[in-house]
Amino acid sequence: MTVTRLLLLGPPGSGKGTQAEILARRLGIPQIATGDMLRAAVDAGSAVGRQAQGFMDRGELVPDDVVIGVAEARLMEPDAVKGFILDGFPRTPAQAEALDAMLERLRVSLECCLALHVDEEELVARLLRRAQIEGRSDDNEQTIRTRMQVYREKTQPLVDYYDRRGVLREVEGDGDIGEVASRIEEALRR
Ligand code: AP5
Ligand code: MG
């Protein structure tokens, strides 16, 4: 059976975006990345963008109601009917519960939560490397530290949340991109 409704959970820099993109291409289903959508909203100067920008620049989470609205609108688009890869959503227990409610309304269920594990030193090194290449406004040392702390406090509890649901599959996220992609493929076959 092919898994088509999944989410990637992991700290900043763990490779959610990188691996979600690979999986989306392989499975032919959309990647739904709230961070990318919020950055696009900031660039467009929309109401959502104006609400989100300060939080993003500080490395804090954008308020649940804003992000839930963004994710829900995207999940309701027709291409998500055949499946989706959630990248960076949910990030709080309230978001996870909102996702459950959305999926219930759509009469589908989440099949798999892939949790990526990478040492914090490696995470910081990856993000500082990206800072030099892409210049994402939240890739600076202080904001990276805040993002790590926010992950530990607000998002890490979701690992247990999805474990209790029986959909958690843990994957080592170190090593090169191809190696991690192979481990994910293996985890999806388990
Ligand atoms: P978001 O855009 O989701 O950022 P993030 O979680 O901080 O994570 P990154 O995108 O930096 O890392 P990633 O895990 O995707 O790794 P990537 O593949 O890019 O969120 C940004 C902000 O938006 C949040 O701080 C918050 O304010 C807001 N937000 C978003 N969603 C929200 C939500 N649900 N609720 C509230 N607020 C929300 O890889 C990182 C780098 O490492 C890249 O340069 C990549 O090329 C490289 N790399 C990847 N894999 C490897 C590897 N195996 N080896 C070496 N390098 C690698
Ligand atoms: Mg990302």
Side-chain angles (χ1 to χ4, degrees):
M1 191 195 76
T2 316
V3 176
T4 55
R5 287 184 297 273
L6 60 153
L7 79 82
L8 282 166
L9 192 62
S14 58
K16 301 182 295 295
T18 304
Q19 298 298 331
E21 205 181 310
I22 294 172
L23 273 175
R25 219 176 308 126
R26 187 160 73 78
L27 300 172
I29 53 179
Q31 167 191 8
I32 298 184
T34 43
D36 293 348
M37 291 160 76
L38 292 169
R39 274 184 292 280
V42 169
D43 289 346
S46 69
V48 165
R50 287 194 300 275
Q51 282 170 290
Q53 183 163 24
F55 295 100
M56 296 176 79
D57 286 344
R58 290 190 297 275
E60 294 164 11
L61 293 183
V62 172
D64 284 336
D65 57 336
V66 175
V67 182
I68 289 168
V70 167
E72 178 156 29
R74 182 65 188 86
L75 269 172
M76 296 299 162
E77 281 178 38
D79 64 339
V81 168
K82 57 187 176 192
F84 50 78
I85 299 160
L86 289 167
D87 157 11
F89 178 89
R91 259 169 145 101
T92 63
Q95 291 179 23
E97 282 160 24
L99 174 65
D100 286 341
M102 285 175 221
L103 297 181
E104 208 167 296
R105 279 199 298 280
L106 292 168
R107 299 184 189 286
V108 296
S109 55
L110 189 78
E111 293 164 296
C112 175
C113 168
L114 289 165
L116 290 170
H117 295 282
V118 179
D119 284 343
E120 189 158 324
E121 253 171 77
E122 166 68 9
L123 296 172
V124 175
R126 285 183 190 176
L127 296 178
L128 290 175
R129 223 177 293 138
R130 182 172 67 188
Q132 295 188 323
I133 306 165
E134 289 177 25
R136 216 176 93 170
S137 67
D138 58 349
D139 283 343
N140 60 75
E141 207 154 350
Q142 188 178 348
T143 306
I144 290 170
R145 229 179 284 284
T146 306
R147 285 156 65 199
M148 296 297 166
Q149 196 184 340
V150 166
Y151 175 79
R152 279 194 297 271
E153 286 172 11
K154 306 252 168 81
T155 309
Q156 197 153 279
L158 295 185
V159 175
D160 281 343
Y161 181 90
Y162 288 110
D163 194 17
R164 285 196 299 273
R165 306 260 157 135
V167 294
L168 182 72
R169 302 187 205 181
E170 306 203 66
V171 175
E172 285 305 322
D174 56 3
D176 69 38
I177 291 170
E179 261 175 82
V180 180
S182 307
R183 278 186 217 128
I184 288 178
E185 234 176 274
E186 170 67 23
L188 290 178
R189 277 199 296 267
R190 284 206 290 260

